[in-house]
Structures are given as structure tokens and as C-alpha cells.
Amino acid sequence: MENMGAFENICNLLRNHSYKVTPQRQTILHMFVEHVDRHLSAEEVYMLVKNENPEIGLATVYRTLDILADIGVLIKNDFGDGRTRYEFSRKDEHHHHHHLICLKCGNVSEFDDDLLESLEAVIMKRNHFKVSDHDLKFYGYCSNCDGTQ
């Protein structure tokens, strides 16, 4: 989905859920569209948007992120660093992608290969338990922090 198309689709989704598309919400949404590959915390979003729109408060950022998560536009992630981070939802994925989290610099990157499908089949067969989703996080050191490049 191209950036402007994604922006307009999300604005329409907000309207369909009876939310106003305020200039503040538009600014926050633009930050996610511009930083689509990042996993942003509310504080990071606030720092990005205050340069463009200084009257936006941190409470507005939190409320907007909660709304976007409630309507399924964003996914909330907890990477164990005490901050909730947000990323765009990928409704076309069967499962969420996985995350690689650097313990030194805090960088979060994505790992898209779903290697757990065979494990899910074993779980279903042995335990008669149908897995509908999973969340996998790998903690370690990125190539910049590990020194091996």
C-alpha cells in the first residue's frame, strides 16, 4: 500500500469508527507513515511530532496511539524495555513477524521467516491444540554492538 493511500485509508477508518481526523492525529499518523519500518514508543512519536506541530502534547500522542491500536491500525509491542512500542498492523499476515531486540542499543529489527509452522503442527497433533497466533522475540546483540560485522 503506497504511503498516501495508506494515510487516506486510515483516515477513513478513523471516520468509520466515529473519530475525528484532527490535525494532531494527522501529524501523528504521518510520522508512522514516514517511519513505517520503525517500532516507535509514544515518547519517540512525541519527539518527532513536536518539531512539526509544537502544540501537540504527550497526552494527545498517547490517546491517538491507543485509538489507532483499538481500531487495528497499530499493534502494541512490549520488548521488555519499559516502553510500549507501536508498529503498523499487517492484516495480510497469518502470523505476526518476529522481532530481534538488541540488549545494548535497544534497536528492534524484524525477522519475517515463520519457522514455527512445523512446531505448531506438532503442538496440534500431540496436544490437540490449534495455535491461532504466536509472538516470538529474540534478545541478543546486533552487529553494531557485538563487534562482528
Side-chain angles (χ1 to χ4, degrees), residues 88-103:
F88 274 119
S89 173
R90 297 183 184 180
K91 294 188 185 295
D92 57 332
E93 285 186 352
H94 175 65
H95 291 293
H96 294 295
H97 51 275
H98 308 303
H99 295 98
L100 310 174
I101 302 139
C102 181
L103 294 169

Side-chain angles (χ1 to χ4, degrees), residues 129-140:
F129 183 85
K130 184 178 179 186
V131 176
S132 62
D133 200 2
H134 62 261
D135 183 24
L136 184 62
K137 300 169 190 149
F138 293 94
Y139 296 90

